[in-house]
Amino acid sequence: MTASVSQIINLEEFLKLPYIEDSPAWEYADGVAIQKPMPKLRHSILQKRLLRVVDDGSDNYTALPELRCTFAGRSIVPDVAVVAWSRIQLNNIGEAVDNFEQVPDWTIEILSPEQKANRVIDNILHCLQNGCHLGWLIDPDDYSILIFTPQSEPKICRGSTQIKVLEGIDLILSAEEVFGWLKVLENKGKG
């Protein structure tokens, strides 16, 4: 079950709330703060493997878990945010600035049983409307991945269908391969 703040607040008020970085993270859209559900084991396995394969596929992009992205009136926390290294702002000593106030280049969400699909899709669409190049909604119960690209209708991928990845990332994956990561005995020791 997810928690929400029932009173309408603005984004600035939301970002000052002391608990929004508690685990699981809180998100903000349309005046309402909503806590994401706590990830379960299958969710965490998929997230971990996605982070590794995306990072292994490119020197120009990085895959970041649970990165708060605040832009265009929302503050969301994708399960995996893929961002070009060149877009990460640096401070005066060359370290990354903590607050990421941009849209990710690629947003990946792994649907939890307690999540409302339309709320997650709404966040993906918000990303695409504000400059994101690719969105994935992974449904572990349906063994499907819904692919979102700007100005195109969504495409569902199952089985051996190759999944679209962000241009510039050397990665070839099928839905079957992604969900194969959940077979623990076959993947033990592969990270």
Side-chain angles (χ1 to χ4, degrees), residues 1-138:
M1 179 165 159
T2 57
S4 66
V5 174
S6 58
Q7 68 186 40
I8 301 292
I9 60 175
N10 65 38
L11 180 58
E12 292 75 27
E13 292 168 329
F14 168 77
L15 292 171
K16 291 177 184 173
L17 293 173
Y19 54 80
I20 66 169
E21 300 304 334
D22 290 353
S23 182
W26 287 75
E27 296 184 310
Y28 173 87
D30 303 321
V32 179
I34 299 171
Q35 190 174 27
K36 293 181 75 169
M38 181 60 82
K40 300 224 175 4
L41 187 56
R42 293 188 316 148
H43 181 287
S44 294
I45 290 169
L46 290 172
Q47 185 179 31
K48 178 182 177 183
R49 292 297 298 269
L50 283 165
L51 292 166
R52 194 183 86 216
V53 300
V54 171
D55 276 344
D56 288 350
S58 176
D59 291 331
N60 297 318
Y61 291 91
T62 185
L64 302 164
E66 309 292 329
L67 174 68
R68 178 169 303 286
C69 302
T70 302
F71 61 94
R74 283 196 192 189
S75 187
I76 62 171
V77 183
D79 294 321
V80 177
V82 180
V83 179
W85 282 111
S86 63
R87 294 184 55 233
I88 294 176
Q89 293 180 334
L90 305 177
N91 63 20
N92 58 355
I93 60 170
E95 294 178 353
V97 173
D98 273 336
N99 294 331
F100 189 74
E101 297 179 347
Q102 302 178 57
V103 64
D105 293 295
W106 176 8
T107 183
I108 302 173
E109 293 285 2
I110 303 163
L111 194 62
S112 296
E114 303 84 20
Q115 274 183 307
K116 301 289 185 199
N118 282 350
R119 186 175 305 280
V120 179
I121 290 169
D122 187 38
N123 279 342
I124 294 171
L125 293 175
H126 182 75
C127 287
L128 292 172
Q129 292 161 355
N130 286 282
C132 184
H133 304 292
L134 181 62
W136 281 11
L137 175 59
I138 299 173

